[in-house]
Amino acid sequence: DQMAGFYRSKYTDIYGNQKVMASTQFEALDARRCFPCFDEPALKSIFGITLVVPSELTALSNMPVQSCKSFVNDDNKECWKEVEFMDSPIMSSYLVAFLVGEFDCLSGMTNTGTVISVHAPPGQASKGQFALDVAIKCLEFYNEYFQVPYPMPKLDMVAIPEFAAGAMENWGLVTYRTVDLLITEGQASQSQMQRVCVVVCHELAHQWFGNLVTFAWWDDLWLNEGFASFMENYSIYKLFPQFNYIWDEFSSTGALSAALRLDALRSSHPIQVPIAHAEEVDQVFDAISYCKGACVVKMINAVLGASAFQSGLKLYMDTYKYKNTETYHLWECWEKSSNGLPIGELMKSWTEQCGFPLLKVTQEEWKDEEVTLTFQQSWFLSDGSCGETEGGDKKLWCVPIFVQTESGILPSVTWMREEYCSVTIPLSGSNGYIKLNANHDVPMRVQHTPTMLAKMAGSIANMTMPVSDRGGLLMDMYALLKANKLLHPKALFTLITYYKHETSPIVWEAMESILSSLESITSQAEFELGAHFRTFAKKIIMPLKNVVGWDPQEGEDHFAIKLRGTMIRLFAKFCNDEEDVVNEARSRFSKFLVDPDDVKALPSDIRLPVFKIVLKNGGTEEYDAIKSYFYSAVDVAEKKLALNSLGYASDPALKQKTLDWTLSGDVKLQDFFYPMGSVSGSSKEGLALSWTFFQSNFDTIQDKIGKASSSLMDACIIYCCGSFCTDEDADKVEEFFKANPLPNNARKIAQALENIRANAKMLESLQRHRELIDEEFWVSISS
């Protein structure tokens, strides 16, 4: 029941009967739970698998069935069958998989003849059509892009009712959480469809990165996850117009944001992280291996150019297929494809040390036709502390500097290897702007001067600056504020006002991220800082209803749908006490209660924030209605909406009821941390309740998930204490985990503590600016 090894997965069939599916999850170290083996990635083998199963059940494995023999058990006269599968290619033990259960199936074929099938519990296979269509396009794209054919004779994708991760790339038999594979087209939200697309494209990239060519040891895990994360974004951008904003999202609020948020902590780790014992590997399936790895790949793509980048990958696949590699093998292939560019030397600083640089403009000399800038690089830390190693040394990176101007990205790239460097940049005119780190292709923060920001104002306001640069600039400025690198918080708040006419959903996601983070911190402030900031945020947010409104318009594009979802989420966060917002949410919720399938009255993209608004302004009646929907909804994604919203009830007793419900057995093990997150995210009081609940029920929680994937306990820890903002809270959390150690979660606990203390520093810094509690300050900014 721990969702590891060969385990049981329970579900309810279309007739309401409880059924069990047997499935596997072997990455990283759990093949040994199932059968004796040399369970290390470099010790590859050919696997021959035979399963003996009841005759009415289906058995699946990595390879197609070779033979099937039926027989009758002499003891109880039951009918069984022996299913023998073809031998696999040589591969690592963590990629072995087999499943036994009742399945319906939906199949299609690629243009090269590979049969792809989606398997689901009976009655649900039709929900796999979208994922099947994505998989066919994606596999065809990868075949052409890598120029190495998909090596397996078939590809099965299976929805698993209970699954700890999002998916697992088992070679030829990819397993998924149900919500990440099956959707009801016509009802599913755009964000849910994008999620399915992302997960499928990620797992299929692994069929090459990880399966065909495998890292030699877990310290090069990023060769799997970083590349799959890069390719998921790149392939979607190339293949699916309805999600083509994903490339800009990658560089602002997506992978880059997640990577820099974690890597700004001293408790982060290098991309190539030393793994002394295999048991340590679960702790590095994180935003460094996935997201920072993907960002470094994106940076290399920008440096080499698309052609040399692709040629190097083809050489890598050709040379090392069915073998194991280390990072330097990939560097060598790119060095050959780029005519000797020293990739290994250039990238060493990005993969072998943790952290990333802050590129600060320290001097500027503006002329009519050019500007000379002097840069300083230093190790950026979110708490603003001195970026030096324990030995007092300064870290340096080999930084490619891409420059964005009004005329586009400059063709020349400046390489910065020392602490300081100067460069002269041509201008299109005396008022022309210069923005560093064009497209945010380099995983770093940039601190522009006030003069540079002022020159960008017009291009931000009229939206001629590229989307990824507009969004990334906001994210950089917030990080600088948190690290106390700005002379005054006014610099960020003034920048925000430049975006008052913004219409890009990606930029608004960046805005949502920083406004929500600021609200979480200022809400715990003394005096009236929190209230003033909420008023300021409302003035920024409310005009959005004149851009997209609540109702979809005929013929509107996917950008409008995405922007509307962001707008209603912001309404739920900041405007849940506005009469017109509350009335609109209640009206749509009432129609939803009459007909939950009415996606016109309450589209799936806005259901979660509407639930939150109604709960914040309602009571037991609304709470019971949403909880009842959890039990009646058939679609797993709809159940998840209830899990993520119930904690927003305003009554503390209902919040506590939500927390107690997580341990009732009604919520699946894979999902039980979601209600904790809804309570902790609802308010300062909800956060305190969640932490008290976690401490009081620690033994029960540990009994439930102690032997499961460490990611489940990680989620509980972050949801229940990760948003505190005082040193006192950090000390209490640290004291608790010293008394109740969790060795498999030690890294996540250290990161949570460091982030709490960084939040505390930011709150103290904001409160030192006494003018922030003066209403006139906020009025002047808004005007």
Side-chain angles (χ1 to χ4, degrees):
D1 295 328
Q2 296 291 310
M3 296 181 287
F6 190 33
Y7 70 93
R8 295 176 294 187
S9 183
K10 302 169 187 174
Y11 66 98
T12 303
D13 69 11
I14 55 176
Y15 303 109
N17 302 312
Q18 287 292 312
K19 293 293 183 76
V20 174
M21 176 192 304
S23 56
T24 57
Q25 172 59 40
F26 290 161
E27 189 179 31
L29 310 173
D30 292 321
R32 66 192 72 177
R33 291 195 190 202
C34 183
F35 57 87
C37 59
F38 295 103
D39 199 11
E40 294 188 2
L43 300 177
K44 290 190 172 187
S45 182
I46 296 171
F47 291 89
I49 295 171
T50 301
L51 300 177
V52 178
V53 303
S55 58
E56 72 275 12
L57 299 181
T58 299
L60 301 170
S61 188
N62 305 83
M63 298 294 286
V65 173
Q66 180 167 280
S67 67
C68 183
K69 302 174 185 177
S70 298
F71 64 94
V72 177
N73 187 307
D74 292 336
D75 295 331
N76 54 23
K77 306 304 179 185
E78 290 181 349
C79 294
W80 290 71
K81 61 185 178 184
E82 180 184 276
V83 183
E84 181 182 1
F85 297 92
M86 297 169 60
D87 285 352
S88 75
I90 189 168
M91 66 182 192
S92 303
S93 55
Y94 78 88
L95 296 171
V96 174
F98 37 86
L99 308 171
V100 181
E102 297 177 338
F103 298 102
D104 280 351
C105 177
L106 196 66
S107 298
M109 185 180 292
T110 68
N111 55 13
T112 54
T114 301
V115 174
I116 302 180
S117 301
V118 174
H119 301 265
Q124 297 189 51
S126 61
K127 296 180 181 179
Q129 186 63 57
F130 177 72
L132 178 61
D133 293 341
V134 169
I136 291 171
K137 287 184 179 180
C138 185
L139 206 69
E140 291 174 349
F141 176 78
Y142 288 159
N143 273 331
E144 182 177 344
Y145 185 81
F146 297 131
Q147 298 179 36
V148 175
Y150 173 69
M152 300 293 272
K154 55 89 176 175
L155 174 64
D156 290 328
M157 305 196 301
V158 189
I160 308 296
E162 294 182 285
F163 199 78
M168 176 61 208
E169 66 267 19
N170 316 297
W171 215 359
L173 181 61
V174 184
T175 46
Y176 297 81
R177 271 196 185 209
T178 301
V179 72
D180 290 329
L181 186 68
L182 306 182
I183 61 171
T184 303
E185 292 193 69
Q187 291 188 326
S189 67
Q190 179 165 296
S191 60
Q192 187 189 352
M193 294 175 71
Q194 180 180 333
R195 170 66 181 172
V196 169
C197 198
V198 163
V199 177
V200 169
C201 291
H202 181 99
E203 302 309 320
L204 267 55
H206 274 309
Q207 305 304 300
W208 284 263
F209 283 103
N211 299 7
L212 181 63
V213 182
T214 311
F215 51 83
W217 183 241
W218 297 105
D219 51 5
D220 277 320
L221 174 67
W222 86 279
L223 289 173
N224 274 26
E225 301 303 348
F227 269 95
S229 298
F230 171 82
M231 291 306 302
E232 81 192 28
N233 286 278
Y234 185 73
S235 60
I236 292 170
Y237 172 66
K238 290 292 186 180
L239 291 174
F240 301 99
Q242 68 269 42
F243 306 124
N244 62 7
Y245 50 72
I246 198 166
W247 199 241
D248 288 324
E249 194 171 56
F250 184 154
S251 302
S252 51
T253 58
L256 180 66
S257 175
L260 298 188
R261 188 165 53 247
L262 178 53
D263 209 29
L265 304 176
R266 287 186 182 272
S267 51
S268 180
H269 62 83
I271 287 178
Q272 292 177 260
V273 57
I275 300 290
H277 303 285
E279 291 76 11
E280 300 170 10
V281 70
D282 278 345
Q283 297 191 56
V284 298
F285 280 86
D286 60 9
I288 301 302
S289 298
Y290 285 74
C291 300
K292 187 181 180 185
C295 292
V296 167
V297 174
K298 184 172 183 281
M299 176 172 64
I300 295 170
N301 182 49
V303 168
L304 296 182
S307 178
F309 177 84
Q310 185 179 357
S311 297
L313 291 184
K314 179 184 183 300
L315 178 62
Y316 179 71
M317 295 293 177
D318 277 335
T319 306
Y320 298 108
K321 57 189 175 185
Y322 304 108
K323 298 177 183 177
N324 295 85
T325 62
E326 298 178 42
T327 294
Y328 75 87
H329 291 113
L330 181 59
W331 296 160
E332 289 174 351
C333 291
W334 271 327
E335 286 173 357
K336 291 176 182 177
S337 70
S338 63
N339 296 319
L341 192 67
I343 296 297
E345 175 197 339
L346 298 176
M347 293 300 118
K348 183 177 180 179
S349 61
W350 295 98
T351 62
E352 296 183 13
Q353 64 180 355
C354 72
F356 60 88
L358 166 65
L359 187 70
K360 180 180 181 180
V361 180
T362 58
Q363 294 181 32
E364 55 189 332
E365 183 180 348
W366 293 86
K367 298 179 181 178
D368 288 344
E369 296 182 353
E370 64 181 30
V371 59
T372 299
L373 303 176
T374 299
F375 310 131
Q376 178 187 19
Q377 64 159 304
S378 59
W379 181 14
F380 181 84
L381 292 164
S382 63
D383 64 358
S385 59
C386 180
E388 294 182 351
T389 65
E390 291 182 0
D393 297 326
K394 294 181 178 180
K395 290 187 178 185
L396 293 175
W397 285 261
C398 194
V399 184
I401 301 174
F402 300 93
V403 178
Q404 177 74 46
T405 72
E406 288 178 338
S407 304
I409 300 175
L410 297 184
S412 59
V413 179
T414 299
W415 284 95
M416 183 178 184
R417 292 175 171 84
E418 305 299 330
E419 183 179 359
Y420 290 91
C421 87
S422 296
V423 61
T424 299
I425 302 168
L427 296 172
S428 57
S430 58
N431 294 319
Y433 76 83
I434 295 293
K435 185 192 168 297
L436 304 174
N437 199 15
N439 285 334
H440 288 250
D441 281 329
V442 181
M444 64 178 176
R445 296 295 185 195
V446 176
Q447 185 167 2
H448 297 89
T449 66
T451 299
M452 295 174 78
L453 291 171
K455 287 178 177 288
M456 295 181 209
S459 295
I460 293 171
N462 63 24
M463 296 177 286
T464 55
M465 180 184 287
V467 167
S468 58
D469 289 298
R470 300 201 306 274
L473 184 64
L474 278 171
M475 301 299 284
D476 278 356
M477 284 291 282
Y478 172 74
L480 292 168
L481 174 64
K482 184 172 183 177
N484 198 26
K485 299 290 186 183
L486 300 180
L487 292 176
H488 195 285
K490 183 178 181 180
L492 173 62
F493 301 133
T494 300
L495 178 66
I496 288 173
T497 64
Y498 296 166
Y499 293 79
K500 60 185 177 182
H501 300 302
E502 184 61 61
T503 60
S504 165
I506 304 306
V507 178
W508 268 104
E509 281 186 348
M511 188 77 76
E512 177 187 19
S513 174
I514 64 174
L515 292 178
S516 298
S517 297
L518 283 164
E519 194 276 338
S520 177
I521 291 172
T522 59
S523 66
Q524 301 185 50
E526 301 172 4
F527 315 114
E528 296 299 315
L529 175 57
H532 287 317
F533 175 73
R534 284 183 64 87
T535 301
F536 169 76
K538 280 184 185 181
K539 290 180 179 179
I540 298 295
I541 295 162
M542 287 302 285
L544 261 182
K545 63 184 178 181
N546 300 320
V547 178
V548 286
W550 286 76
D551 290 305
Q553 302 300 309
E554 186 176 349
E556 72 177 11
D557 60 19
H558 49 282
F559 290 96
I561 297 170
K562 188 172 181 67
L563 182 58
R564 180 175 298 106
T566 302
M567 177 186 75
I568 309 301
R569 289 197 304 273
L570 284 164
F571 283 0
K573 185 78 172 179
F574 292 97
C575 311
N576 52 66
D577 55 353
E578 293 288 320
E579 185 177 359
D580 61 332
V581 170
V582 175
N583 289 340
E584 187 69 43
R586 282 176 170 164
S587 172
R588 292 172 185 274
F589 184 70
S590 297
K591 295 174 182 176
F592 161 81
L593 292 180
V594 174
D595 181 9
D597 293 331
D598 183 1
V599 293
K600 184 175 181 181
L602 188 56
S604 300
D605 286 278
I606 65 171
R607 286 192 174 188
L608 179 58
V610 165
F611 284 5
K612 290 179 179 180
I613 295 168
V614 168
L615 285 164
K616 276 183 172 288
N617 292 276
T620 303
E621 182 180 351
E622 291 80 5
Y623 181 90
D624 288 343
I626 293 175
K627 192 172 182 180
S628 177
Y629 184 56
F630 169 82
Y631 291 103
S632 64
V634 174
D635 194 295
V636 178
E638 293 294 298
K639 289 179 179 291
K640 193 174 173 182
L641 294 178
L643 295 173
N644 280 315
S645 62
L646 284 169
Y648 282 79
S650 55
D651 185 348
L654 294 178
K655 293 182 187 293
Q656 187 63 50
K657 186 176 180 180
T658 301
L659 292 168
D660 294 338
W661 180 56
T662 64
L663 301 179
S664 68
D666 287 359
V667 181
K668 287 187 175 184
L669 194 65
Q670 66 175 14
D671 297 325
F672 87 111
F673 52 83
Y674 288 125
M676 297 181 193
S678 74
V679 173
S680 67
S682 66
S683 63
K684 179 181 178 181
E685 294 73 24
L687 176 60
L689 270 177
S690 295
W691 177 233
T692 300
F693 172 81
F694 180 85
Q695 295 174 91
S696 301
N697 294 276
F698 178 73
D699 290 340
T700 304
I701 293 171
Q702 193 170 26
D703 286 344
K704 285 178 74 73
I705 61 174
K707 295 181 180 179
S709 167
S710 61
S711 64
L712 297 176
M713 184 64 83
D714 284 348
C716 292
I717 293 166
I718 295 302
Y719 278 141
C720 291
C721 67
S723 296
F724 282 126
C725 281
T726 69
D727 288 326
E728 181 183 2
D729 286 324
D731 292 341
K732 289 179 180 177
V733 172
E734 185 172 28
E735 183 180 340
F736 176 81
F737 285 115
K738 281 183 178 178
N740 301 274
L742 292 171
N744 291 338
N745 308 94
R747 190 186 296 273
K748 185 61 67 175
I749 292 167
Q751 291 165 353
L753 289 170
E754 188 176 351
N755 192 57
I756 292 169
R757 292 190 168 107
N759 287 342
K761 279 190 174 182
M762 181 181 185
L763 180 57
E764 290 172 7
S765 174
L766 290 173
Q767 290 181 148
R768 282 197 296 269
H769 292 278
R770 306 296 291 182
E771 63 271 35
L772 295 183
I773 64 172
D774 186 345
E775 185 177 357
E776 290 184 8
F777 169 84
W778 296 97
V779 170
S780 68
I781 290 290
S782 299
S783 61

